């Protein structure tokens, strides 16, 4: 299957079966989403959704968070991964929002990455979800699934994978394709034991094709 055909099959399947895929993080406004995405690094969305209600209530805006301290923020997020660093990032992020962006979430990726705790992946999430820009955030799920099903080839870094995905995906699907890949990786294409037997897109998956051939050789 040619790369063009593979992308076509990918978009056609998910456009039909999950056209409105969204983040599983709970949030009420862009500021809350930014906090949630910063916290979600190397942590599950389920855990973040357990932590954020109290955090959002205590810090409803950049002003209240900027006036807090990492030690206080830590008490709200102690159960997430790397709580000490993330507490510092959150306070620093809020202070930077006030000092450089008038308390408003910036739209451009190059501005977002200036905020403490915000790397390119987080910036792309905010750019795509909040501002509906054609930005592709590459986390571990996206990186793994895109390679396995053959959307990327020899992409050794998240940035390389991002560039390939953005190049080949129709512009109007880039933002939602991020969620397609994440959700597929979270529930079907698992890291250690992918559920190939129930995968609805195995017919164009390179990983499945390779393993199928390997099993056939072993049988013979």
């Amino acid at each position: 299957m040619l790369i063009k055909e593979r992308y076509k099959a990918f978009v056609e399947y998910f456009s039909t079966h999950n056209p409105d895929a969204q983040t599983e993080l709970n949030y009420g406004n862009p500021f809350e989403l930014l906090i949630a995405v910063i916290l979600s690094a190397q942590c599950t969305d389920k855990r973040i959704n357990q932590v954020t209600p109290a955090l959002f209530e205590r810090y409803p805006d950049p002003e209240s968070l900027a006036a807090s301290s990492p030690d206080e923020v830590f008490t709200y997020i102690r159960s997430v991964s790397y709580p000490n660093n993330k507490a510092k990032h959150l306070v620093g992020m809020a202070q930077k929002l006030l000092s450089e962006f008038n308390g408003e979430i910036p739209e451009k990726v190059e501005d977002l990455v200036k905020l403490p705790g915000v790397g390119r992946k987080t910036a792309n999430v905010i750019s795509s979800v909040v501002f509906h820009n054609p930005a592709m955030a590459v986390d571990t799920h996206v990186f793994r699934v895109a390679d396995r099903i053959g959307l990327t080839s020899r992409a050794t870094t998240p940035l390389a994978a991002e560039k390939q995905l953005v190049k080949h995906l129709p512009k109007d699907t880039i933002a939602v394709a991020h969620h397609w890949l994440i959700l597929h990786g979270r529930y079907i294409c698992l890291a250690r034991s992918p559920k190939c037997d129930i995968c609805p897109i195995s017919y164009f998956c390179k990983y499945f094709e390779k393993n199928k051939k390997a099993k056939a050789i072993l049988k013979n």
Side-chain angles (χ1 to χ4, degrees):
M1 181 180 283
L2 299 175
I3 187 69
K4 185 177 180 180
E5 295 171 334
R6 200 178 300 278
Y7 271 91
K8 185 173 184 291
F10 170 76
V11 171
E12 284 182 350
Y13 176 82
F14 285 103
S15 293
T16 301
H17 294 87
N18 196 4
D20 301 314
Q22 298 177 4
T23 178
E24 292 187 317
L25 291 170
N26 296 331
Y27 68 98
N29 56 57
F31 179 63
E32 290 184 355
L33 178 62
L34 179 56
I35 290 174
V37 178
I38 290 174
L39 289 175
S40 71
Q42 296 179 302
C43 196
T44 65
D45 287 2
K46 182 179 179 181
R47 169 61 61 186
I48 302 308
N49 289 337
Q50 292 171 345
V51 166
T52 49
L55 186 69
F56 292 161
E57 183 177 1
R58 172 64 181 86
Y59 306 111
D61 49 45
E63 289 80 6
S64 56
L65 183 55
S68 185
S69 67
D71 287 341
E72 183 184 350
V73 173
F74 175 87
T75 64
Y76 290 88
I77 66 169
R78 64 171 73 245
S79 64
V80 310
S81 59
Y82 307 106
N84 284 301
N85 284 338
K86 289 178 180 178
K88 294 175 184 176
H89 289 328
L90 290 181
V91 174
M93 174 272 290
Q95 292 172 344
K96 193 86 165 180
L97 276 180
L98 294 175
S99 64
E100 291 199 20
F101 302 102
N102 199 31
E104 299 293 327
I105 307 296
E107 178 176 353
K108 295 180 179 179
V109 169
E110 54 265 36
D111 288 330
L112 284 161
V113 295
K114 295 177 183 177
L115 302 171
V118 177
R120 186 171 182 86
K121 185 214 77 173
T122 297
N124 278 330
V125 170
I126 301 302
S127 181
S128 64
V129 174
V130 175
F131 299 103
H132 309 293
N133 291 321
M136 171 56 69
V138 178
D139 68 357
T140 54
H141 292 306
V142 173
F143 190 77
R144 177 180 72 255
V145 174
D147 175 67
R148 278 184 178 171
I149 66 179
L151 297 185
T152 57
S153 176
R154 299 177 184 175
T156 57
T157 65
L159 181 58
E162 176 190 332
K163 288 181 177 179
Q164 289 186 33
L165 290 165
V166 169
K167 177 182 177 181
H168 293 289
L169 282 166
K171 189 174 182 180
D172 62 345
T173 68
I174 291 173
V176 70
H178 159 73
H179 300 300
W180 291 339
L181 290 164
I182 283 181
L183 295 174
H184 192 66
R186 186 171 290 165
Y187 298 110
I188 301 293
C189 196
L190 308 181
R192 293 185 179 178
S193 302
K195 301 176 181 180
C196 296
D197 55 326
I198 63 168
C199 178
I201 62 171
S202 60
Y203 66 96
F204 67 82
C205 176
K206 277 191 171 182
Y207 179 86
F208 180 77
E209 181 183 357
K210 181 180 178 181
N211 284 351
K212 188 176 179 181
K213 287 181 179 178
K215 288 178 181 178
I217 292 171
L218 287 174
K219 278 187 178 181
N220 296 329

